[in-house]
Amino acid sequence: MVSTDSLTRQAGESYDRLEKDVTSVKNDIAALTEQITDALNKFAGAAKGRARHGYKQARANVDSTVDDISERSGAMMDAAQDAVGSIEETLEDVITQRPLVTVGLALGLGFLIGLTWRR
């Protein structure tokens, strides 16, 4: 038969093995937790870097677009001022060359505007 001491010793050995296994599992979980934390920190750092880079690039694109629009609007204003100057010169030439026709045209336009305004 099996003695009580033998059973106690076997139970003690089983308990020691179980305790070692539990400790090993705890250590493995701690190591895994540390690895996951490191991976998440690296991922967060990379995402932060990409977000900063994207923001800087978008900001540069906006600045470039604003500068381009500013240059184009300046060029359009210059062209409009040149066109107005050209029209003004042309009108002055027509008025000095044909003053009676100009007065007749102005009277006719005034009359037409007056007729449409009445209605």
Side-chain angles (χ1 to χ4, degrees):
M1 286 207 179
V2 179
S3 70
T4 314
D5 289 337
S6 173
L7 285 175
T8 304
R9 189 171 22 95
Q10 286 177 355
E13 289 173 1
S14 294
Y15 179 77
D16 289 342
R17 274 186 280 149
L18 182 62
E19 190 175 2
K20 286 179 185 178
D21 289 343
V22 168
T23 302
S24 176
V25 169
K26 283 182 182 179
N27 291 338
D28 289 345
I29 289 173
L32 184 60
T33 301
E34 188 176 324
Q35 289 175 354
I36 289 172
T37 302
D38 288 344
L40 288 174
N41 287 337
K42 287 178 184 178
F43 177 74
K48 186 177 180 181
R50 287 182 186 156
R52 281 186 181 168
H53 177 71
Y55 171 76
K56 288 178 183 178
Q57 189 174 12
R59 180 67 184 211
N61 289 342
V62 167
D63 289 344
S64 173
T65 301
V66 167
D67 291 342
D68 188 38
I69 289 172
S70 177
E71 288 176 16
R72 287 183 182 185
S73 64
M76 289 174 62
M77 278 298 282
D78 291 342
Q81 287 175 347
D82 290 344
V84 167
S86 176
I87 290 171
E88 184 180 342
E89 289 175 10
T90 303
L91 283 175
E92 284 179 12
D93 290 343
V94 168
I95 290 171
T96 55
Q97 290 176 3
R98 300 186 178 153
L100 291 178
V101 172
T102 305
V103 170
L105 183 62
L107 286 173
L109 283 174
F111 180 73
L112 287 174
I113 291 172
L115 281 177
T116 55
W117 203 314
R118 268 184 155 177
R119 293 181 182 186

